[in-house]
């Protein structure tokens, strides 16, 4: 963890004295970000009402990237890459990745537009879009696939979201996110640690960007960057550095309460949020290559992974995205 820098400019957050902010640099298609979801869920619950959380989409795959000369070989390689990452994060992953996302911009636009419908809608949209890649194996990398993935999602006006995702203000906001993700703060550039994320920035064709995901904490005690996949202990240490006036401790919730709040739980979600491994009694279990995913019954009713299985059993109907 890079030491805080009290002399650096700091953003204003929503703490008692207006000084705590957490900026999350992420991408819907990033496997490390998918594996970090349980820790981030715990942190959002821990900091609710005491810090402002802002999400920045880094666009891991972009529309102008050169296409792979052999898409099948690229998909096979990336599938192995996701499986390797899952061994670190214990996150579920699809039994078969059908293609590598051509671009993560449509999903980022949808996730950004969802923020207009409130924090809960934004979380549900981003989670569902992540699961198209890491549970279904069919990335939502076009506007049409995004709409198909989100159809029926509880608590989200999908028609409104689809209309607003293409609005100039949303497009401009994602464009600003792309630029911000490629202008890392010095604390991220200086970050060095053991493990799979040894540095805080990644080289690109035109410079550098944040390692995804990265959290940047700002508060009265300074600023701390925590790039890559990090432990909850490292994140809470960062919080205590930038805001030492608070006790940053989480209270576990029961499995049913966690399912009602989050609608979709992995094994690591259960462990961090509930303090145990007992799945919710009412959950619908979905098997993946990396362990089960538990869905709220309302979530399961429209989830593309279950809808796709139904289509496979029905003669004459095609699978989602193919």
């Amino acid at each position: 963890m890079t030491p805080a820098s009290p002399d650096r400019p700091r953003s204003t957050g929503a703490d008692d004295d207006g000084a705590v902010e957490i900026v999350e640099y992420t991408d819907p298609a990033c496997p490390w970000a998918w594996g970090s979801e349980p820790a981030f869920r715990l942190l959002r619950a821990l900091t609710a009402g005491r810090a402002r959380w802002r999400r920045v989409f880094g666009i891991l795959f972009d529309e102008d990237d050169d296409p792979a000369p052999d898409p099948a070989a690229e998909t096979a390689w990336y599938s192995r890459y996701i499986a390797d990452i899952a061994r670190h994060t214990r996150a579920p992953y699809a039994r078969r990745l059908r293609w590598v996302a051509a671009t993560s911009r449509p999903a980022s636009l949808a996730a950004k537009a969802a923020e207009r419908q409130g924090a809960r809608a934004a979380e549900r949209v981003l989670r569902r879009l992540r699961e198209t890649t890491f549970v279904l194996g069919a990335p939502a990398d076009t506007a049409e696939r995004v709409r198909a993935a989100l159809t029926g999602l509880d608590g989200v006006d999908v028609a409104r979201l689809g209309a607003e995702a293409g609005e100039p203000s949303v497009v401009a906001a994602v464009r600003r996110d792309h630029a911000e993700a490629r202008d890392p703060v010095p604390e991220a550039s200086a970050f060095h640690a053991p493990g799979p994320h040894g540095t805080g920035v990644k080289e690109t064709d035109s410079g550098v960007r944040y390692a995804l995901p990265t959290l940047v904490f700002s508060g009265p005690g300074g600023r701390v960057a925590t790039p890559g996949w990090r432990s909850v202990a490292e994140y809470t240490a960062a919080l205590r550095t930038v805001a030492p006036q608070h006790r940053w401790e989480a209270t576990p919730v029961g499995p049913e309460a966690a399912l009602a709040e989050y609608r979709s739980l992995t094994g690591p979600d259960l462990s961090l949020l509930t303090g145990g491994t007992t799945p919710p009694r009412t959950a619908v279990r979905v098997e993946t290559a990396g362990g089960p995913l538990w869905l709220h019954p309302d979530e399961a009713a429209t989830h593309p992974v279950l809808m796709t299985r139904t289509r496979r059993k029905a003669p004459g109907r095609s699978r989602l995205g193919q």
Side-chain angles (χ1 to χ4, degrees), residues 39-147:
F40 289 1
R41 282 178 159 183
L42 183 66
L43 282 172
R44 283 192 287 268
L46 179 65
T47 60
R50 297 192 289 171
R52 184 166 75 94
W53 191 296
R54 182 169 65 89
R55 184 172 280 137
V56 176
F57 294 101
I59 313 298
L60 183 61
F61 302 108
D62 212 350
E63 295 159 335
D64 58 358
D65 292 344
D66 292 334
D70 185 343
E74 181 193 40
T75 300
W77 174 86
Y78 199 65
S79 181
R80 292 191 297 270
Y81 177 68
I82 289 173
D84 287 342
I85 290 172
R87 280 188 271 276
H88 288 280
T89 66
R90 298 192 301 116
Y93 62 97
R95 295 185 184 280
R96 182 171 72 93
L97 181 67
R98 294 190 235 170
W99 61 82
V100 178
T103 170
S104 51
R105 194 172 288 267
S108 297
L109 288 166
K112 182 65 71 174
E115 294 176 0
R116 297 183 175 190
Q117 298 185 36
R120 179 167 292 183
E123 296 306 321
R124 289 184 179 177
V125 165
L126 183 55
R127 178 72 171 209
R128 176 69 69 85
L129 292 173
R130 291 196 199 281
E131 288 173 351
T132 65
T133 296
F134 302 111
V135 178
L136 181 61
D141 57 355
T142 68
E144 293 74 19
R145 286 172 176 159
V146 167
R147 283 194 295 271

Side-chain angles (χ1 to χ4, degrees), residues 161-174:
L161 185 149
E164 292 181 346
E167 286 188 359
S169 59
V170 174
V171 173
V174 171

Side-chain angles (χ1 to χ4, degrees), residues 46 50 236 240 247-251:
L46 179 65
R50 297 192 289 171
T236 53
R240 293 186 182 109
R247 288 172 58 89
W248 299 103
E249 297 178 356
T251 302

Side-chain angles (χ1 to χ4, degrees), residues 222-233:
R223 187 165 62 191
V224 175
T226 54
W229 185 68
R230 311 251 69 88
S231 68
V232 170

